[in-house]
Amino acid sequence: MKRVCFINGSLRGEAASSIRFLQAVDRLLADREFEKPIITVKAMMPGAYPEEILKIMGSADALVVAFPLFSYSLPGALMRLLED
Amino acid sequence: MTVCCIFDQGSRTALFDDAMSQVSALAAEKGNAFESIALDRNEVAACTGCLRCWTMQTRECVSRDALGDLSRHKKICGMVIYLTPVIFGSMISPVKNAWDKDAHLFANADRMKVVIGYGDTIDDEEESTFLDTITRHRGSADVVHPDKKEDIKVFVTTSGGDIRAICQEIRKVM
């Protein structure tokens, strides 16, 4: 089974448009064929993102990232996750 | 005027030291007060995009973090310099958080912003992405705040020689 990791780069929780995009992609991928963990960024992350989260990203066959454009580029919260 | 320099305290390199030293010397030479503000990545909250600072006209962020005091402080600065390593063609996260909030908190402020991206190994694609995305905020190109008056200058440096040239450009507007 392949792993497709969804990354929600929005801090607006369930109201986020990013979630809607990820859900649309999710529906295209059959549950019996794909493992689909979801990671949501945090506004603050003292220290660093937990190792288990980074391992999920590192072991994924594909990453699907949805995020709001902040200042025409990635929001700071998503930058932090990618840096870690 | 007061020149305020914002940077990530975890990203100090020889190139950073060189840039900070030359920028502060330039501010002093021009008779300006100079203040440097180090951001701790663990104490700066990301912008949630709620826009309350803008729609409620408070010009203050609802997040209670290290940027709260900084926001009040920056209002008196005539020039803000963002000094950041270039990461994936963007700013490093603590500086990006300050930058994201800056766009709304000071939407109508009449002042200059300077962004200096640094790094020893910045490739052409990263450099062009960095310059392009930040330059889009200049003048009327900002669709969220079309009445914005502030000007933005953006530079990328990989050497001390670059920094000298950058300071020559900043000198013209300081």
Side-chain angles (χ1 to χ4, degrees):
Chain A
M1 180 178 276
K2 290 198 170 183
R3 174 180 282 179
V4 177
C5 179
F6 292 130
I7 298 177
N8 171 21
S10 172
L11 292 169
R12 291 194 175 184
E14 290 301 313
S17 299
S18 301
I19 287 284
R20 303 287 172 271
F21 289 119
L22 293 176
Q23 288 170 340
V25 177
D26 185 13
R27 286 193 288 274
L28 299 173
L29 303 175
D31 291 345
R32 63 181 180 280
E33 293 179 39
F34 297 95
E35 185 185 349
K36 297 173 284 187
I38 297 179
I39 295 170
T40 297
V41 297
K42 307 290 184 192
M44 292 183 85
M45 181 54 69
Y49 274 87
E51 195 66 26
E52 53 265 37
I53 286 181
L54 302 180
K55 279 183 179 170
I56 290 171
M57 290 174 65
S59 64
D61 296 289
L63 299 174
V64 180
V65 188
F67 59 91
L69 274 177
F70 276 25
S71 307
Y72 296 95
S73 54
L74 276 64
L78 179 58
M79 281 299 296
R80 174 63 192 275
L81 173 64
L82 298 180
E83 287 162 17
D84 284 352
Chain B
M1 70 177 174
T2 298
V3 177
C4 172
C5 184
I6 297 171
F7 61 96
D8 170 37
Q9 70 175 9
S11 304
R12 296 178 180 211
T13 64
L15 197 53
F16 165 85
D17 289 339
D18 197 4
M20 179 62 87
S21 153
Q22 292 196 44
V23 168
S24 60
L26 175 61
E29 177 192 321
K30 300 284 280 185
N32 298 309
F34 182 81
E35 295 188 20
S36 62
I37 297 172
L39 299 178
D40 182 335
R41 72 197 305 249
N42 296 320
E43 295 178 357
V44 177
C47 174
T48 64
C50 71
L51 297 183
R52 285 185 191 166
C53 59
W54 184 40
T55 58
M56 302 297 284
Q57 297 291 314
T58 61
R59 298 285 183 242
E60 290 195 6
C61 183
V62 296
S63 300
R64 294 292 170 239
D65 67 350
L67 283 177
D69 293 335
L70 178 59
S71 298
R72 285 182 281 278
H73 180 75
K74 279 200 297 183
K75 287 175 182 171
I76 62 169
C77 293
M79 175 183 281
V80 179
I81 299 174
Y82 288 85
L83 197 48
T84 173
V86 178
I87 309 284
F88 310 134
S90 184
M91 302 174 180
I92 197 164
S93 57
V95 180
K96 185 63 166 61
N97 288 337
W99 177 260
D100 288 344
K101 294 181 179 182
D102 195 325
H104 300 298
L105 290 172
F106 310 105
N108 299 316
D110 185 9
R111 64 195 171 83
M112 168 70 71
K113 285 199 285 195
V114 175
V115 180
I116 303 174
Y118 63 89
D120 297 324
T121 55
I122 301 171
D123 63 30
D124 291 344
E125 186 177 7
E126 272 195 306
E127 178 174 342
S128 64
T129 300
F130 187 85
L131 295 173
D132 184 50
T133 54
I134 296 172
T135 304
R136 282 175 192 274
H137 280 273
R138 190 175 289 162
S140 59
D142 190 308
V143 294
V144 181
H145 306 297
D147 56 344
K148 189 181 265 186
K149 295 177 182 174
E150 65 187 3
D151 196 6
I152 299 173
K153 293 200 175 297
V154 194
F155 306 96
V156 169
T157 174
T158 56
S159 73
D162 292 342
I163 295 169
R164 280 189 289 281
I166 290 168
C167 283
Q168 289 301 321
E169 288 300 311
I170 298 174
R171 181 191 301 274
K172 296 174 186 173
V173 294
M174 188 176 273

